[in-house]
């Protein structure tokens, strides 16, 4: 079983952190790579983030929390 770590992505060179605004899938739900799974907001934009792998999602982060770019907020287990 492989794990793909879900991280806050870098959406701009000038952005150092982003807020998780919504999980589009529940913990335990199966997703396919490329499916939107959560949204983040920075000072300038709100953006949907797609799954980087197919498998079962387990969130470790929380909606409404601001994280540094690169912070782990969950995993996808194949």
């Amino acid at each position: 079983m492989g794990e793909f770590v879900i991280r806050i992505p870098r959406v701009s060179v000038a952005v150092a952190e982003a807020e998780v605004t919504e999980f589009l899938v529940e913990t335990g739900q199966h997703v396919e790579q490329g499916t939107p799974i959560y949204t983040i907001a920075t000072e300038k934009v709100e953006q949907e983030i797609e799954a980087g792998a197919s498998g079962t999602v387990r969130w470790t982060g929380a909606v409404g929390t601001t994280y540094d770019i690169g912070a782990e907020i969950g995993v996808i287990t194949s």
Side-chain angles (χ1 to χ4, degrees):
M1 274 192 157
E3 280 194 348
F4 176 85
V5 177
I6 303 169
R7 299 186 184 276
I8 300 293
R10 179 168 301 283
V11 292
S12 168
V13 177
V15 174
E17 60 186 20
E19 177 187 351
V20 175
T21 55
E22 183 180 8
F23 290 144
L24 303 174
V25 299
E26 302 286 328
T27 287
Q29 188 173 337
H30 181 83
V31 297
E32 294 297 323
Q33 183 173 356
T35 302
I37 57 171
Y38 68 103
T39 60
I40 60 170
T42 64
E43 291 178 0
K44 297 183 180 184
V45 68
E46 188 163 327
Q47 182 174 349
E48 286 188 346
I49 307 301
E50 297 176 351
S54 298
T56 303
V57 174
R58 180 172 49 88
W59 296 113
T60 56
V63 171
T65 303
T66 299
Y67 295 95
D68 290 336
I69 300 303
E72 180 180 327
I73 60 165
V75 294
I76 298 174
T77 306
S78 58

